[in-house]
Amino acid sequence: MALIEEPRRINPLLRVAIAVSDRVTGRRMLPARLLAWYPRAAIGAGVLESLVAHHEPSERLLKLVRITASITANCAFCVDMNGFEYDRVGITDAELRALPAGTEDDVATFSATERLAIDYARRISRSPLVFPEELTTALRAAFTERELVILATTAAQVNYWARVIQA
């Protein structure tokens, strides 16, 4: 149940953007409707959402980061949205089950790079932020600077939505 009700009247441009978001996701996007109370926040969130990475470094890796951040932030809506069609990017049921359990090291199909990204997403999504030196060394060896920024902003975007939705 939302803390606030949807506005009765929504700016026509925001109404169009919300309709597009509903259509793209196949769901009724309550968070977008609630953001209509403050159109600047709605526009900023829309820009953020439209500019996130979808293919680089890979769709599979980004999906793993999004699901992990959603689980760690404890946002059921985010898990639903980010876990949708997980199998389309090659994530298996066993891999999906390992993420909330934190047992990805026991799943042979995860690559070392994927395990690093999952650990990074978990750490980005917890407080306090703790990045041991051995992790940062391994991340620098496995990813380019651009890829690290993409992974960090992908997890941060999930955390933004998790906090807005839960608040």
Side-chain angles (χ1 to χ4, degrees):
M1 175 179 237
L3 175 64
I4 58 175
E5 296 295 322
E6 295 178 37
R8 294 185 193 276
R9 295 180 48 179
I10 296 177
N11 173 298
L13 290 175
L14 288 179
R15 204 172 27 244
V16 168
I18 291 168
V20 168
S21 123
D22 286 352
R23 185 172 183 162
V24 167
T25 62
R27 292 169 169 81
R28 187 172 189 281
M29 299 301 290
L30 178 61
R33 287 171 170 77
L34 296 178
L35 284 175
W37 279 109
Y38 184 48
R40 287 182 181 190
I43 291 166
V47 169
L48 173 67
E49 192 62 28
S50 69
L51 297 177
V52 297
H54 293 286
H55 305 290
E56 183 184 353
S58 76
E59 288 183 56
R60 175 182 161 87
L61 191 61
L62 291 173
K63 181 70 90 172
L64 289 169
V65 166
R66 285 187 183 102
I67 294 169
T68 301
S70 299
I71 292 165
T72 307
N74 200 26
C75 176
F77 181 87
C78 301
V79 171
D80 179 49
M81 290 300 297
N82 291 310
F84 182 69
E85 293 185 338
Y86 64 90
D87 54 337
R88 186 185 62 77
V89 295
I91 298 173
T92 67
D93 290 341
E95 291 170 333
L96 188 64
R97 282 191 303 274
L99 295 177
T103 58
E104 60 276 354
D105 288 342
D106 298 336
V107 180
T109 52
F110 282 129
S111 70
T113 302
E114 289 169 340
R115 286 188 184 99
L116 272 174
I118 290 166
D119 186 18
Y120 190 42
R122 245 189 221 115
R123 290 172 182 276
I124 291 169
S125 304
R126 285 192 288 213
S127 291
L129 295 175
V130 177
F131 302 104
E133 189 170 333
E134 61 272 9
L135 174 64
T136 58
T137 299
L139 286 166
R140 285 186 191 113
F143 299 102
T144 66
E145 288 87 353
R146 177 182 172 89
E147 290 169 336
L148 286 170
V149 169
I150 290 170
L151 295 176
T153 56
T154 297
Q157 178 226 14
V158 171
N159 280 274
Y160 165 79
W161 280 114
R163 300 305 176 232
V164 168
I165 290 165
Q166 292 175 43

